[in-house]
Amino acid sequence: MYTQAMDTMGKDKDGPKAVRSAEELRLEERFDERIDAGGFIEAKDWMPEHYRKTLVRQISQHAHSEIVGMLPEGNWISRAPTLKRKAILLAKVQDEGGHGLYLYAAAETLGTSRDQMLEALHTGRAKYSSIFNYPTLTWADMGTIGWLVDGAAIMNQVPICRCSYAPYARAMIRICREESFHQRQGYEALLTMMQHGTEAQKAMVQDAVNRWWWPSIMMFGPPDDQSPNSAQSMRWGIKRFTNDELRQKFIDAAVEQAKVLGVTLPDPDLKWNEERQAHDHGAIDWKEFWRVIGGDGPCNRERLGARVKAWDEGAWVRDAALAHARKQSHLKEAA
Amino acid sequence: MSDTTSTEHEWPLWEVFVRSKAGLDHKHCGSLHAPDPKMALQMARDVYTRRQEGVSVWVVRSDQIVASDPGDKDMYFDPAEDKVYRHPTFYVLPKSVDHM
């Protein structure tokens, strides 16, 4: 799961350079032509510095989101109601770890190291999706995350399968192929509670939907008129649809799914607009979004703290494995 | 976190190749960091074949791969462009024997 419209989240002081050499201009022209022709860029190909930076930021933030995204769900692995649900949740969390690894590897092809990226995450310099800074209070949160959060992520991610940067696109194809189960298992878990559950369990589902709805639609990022980097990313084929376009698609799909589920969405202004052939929705609280992105969400400190702790406490294992490998290769050389 | 974040402590990078089923080639599917060959193989299994995507896995140290330079692409591959006689379709034969 879990990319967010990340392009707005970097405070990029150095935008595209103003002064370029003739050679650089020629290369950039060829690069643009290739993008326009729908071509792909590979790791060793020439690319504008700003293209590289934008991608490193977006892919690494996406990777961080997968890794941090394991935490809210990990919270429920030992509390899953049945063995079946536990196995499903474990598989889902394991997928997220895998998706993080595919993405880190894709970012590394751009010349950044894994350790540099992790350091950026651990020191709070790098961002991850705002959604993981909300707490998972009940079992219904697991189903709701699958349905809404993974659903929003899939909506965001499918177009990235055609991203102009090929290693990223290839990672995304693999991720999207594995992702669909995440959303379906969540929806099915909720359906089970709504159709066979007690009144209290049904209320639990409604409560989870009430809490996750707004953060989920924020996952598409700020509205188009406040996304200054969007145009450049669209030009470069990194982004294929605008934040608002994707958000609209998600809302229209979710309204129908909510009906089948038998829950309401917590937005009194949500209604069908015949003229637009789409749903209108109420105002999104962007102040909350920026607050959570900025580090002051309900669980920011806890999430980052858990990551740093896991990394630090695993240091001796990483070092021991490396020391063992070195010793073995010395022994082999000596033999 | 101080000294563990330097690249010196980073596990080496490996490229992973998976044979999806018997009879097919191994195909490159991604990369991963691992301290030694045994761990690399095991982690490749965990990361890249969680849904029976493979029946065999190769791992190769990334720094052991020798690759052509994208800048040399034209020089390297264009010479084959005008050698159309290497393709069977270059030869026009009578219909009755054209299945040859």
Side-chain angles (χ1 to χ4, degrees), chain A residues 230-335:
Chain A
S230 267
Q232 181 64 78
S233 283
M234 301 270 273
R235 170 68 189 81
W236 275 334
I238 296 174
K239 208 177 158 106
R240 300 283 181 185
F241 297 97
T242 72
N243 297 353
D244 286 334
E245 282 168 352
L246 290 169
R247 183 168 15 249
Q248 185 70 57
K249 252 174 94 176
F250 173 75
I251 291 173
D252 290 338
V255 167
E256 292 311 308
Q257 293 157 356
K259 260 185 226 156
V260 174
L261 201 53
V263 295
T264 57
L265 297 172
D267 178 0
D269 298 322
L270 189 64
K271 52 178 169 291
W272 179 250
N273 182 327
E274 188 59 35
E275 201 180 313
R276 287 202 310 124
Q277 288 292 301
H279 289 86
D280 290 335
H281 61 83
I284 298 171
D285 183 1
W286 292 112
K287 274 211 298 276
E288 173 179 326
F289 173 78
W290 290 115
R291 202 181 65 232
V292 177
I293 288 281
D296 205 17
C299 299
N300 294 55
R301 271 165 285 268
E302 184 185 332
R303 300 286 184 246
L304 207 54
R307 278 315 312 154
V308 171
K309 182 167 179 266
W311 179 253
D312 285 351
E313 290 183 355
W316 72 271
V317 180
R318 294 190 300 276
D319 289 345
L322 208 51
H324 176 72
R326 281 183 187 142
K327 197 170 154 190
Q328 291 302 311
S329 75
H330 287 155
L331 284 176
K332 220 167 143 191
E333 270 167 35

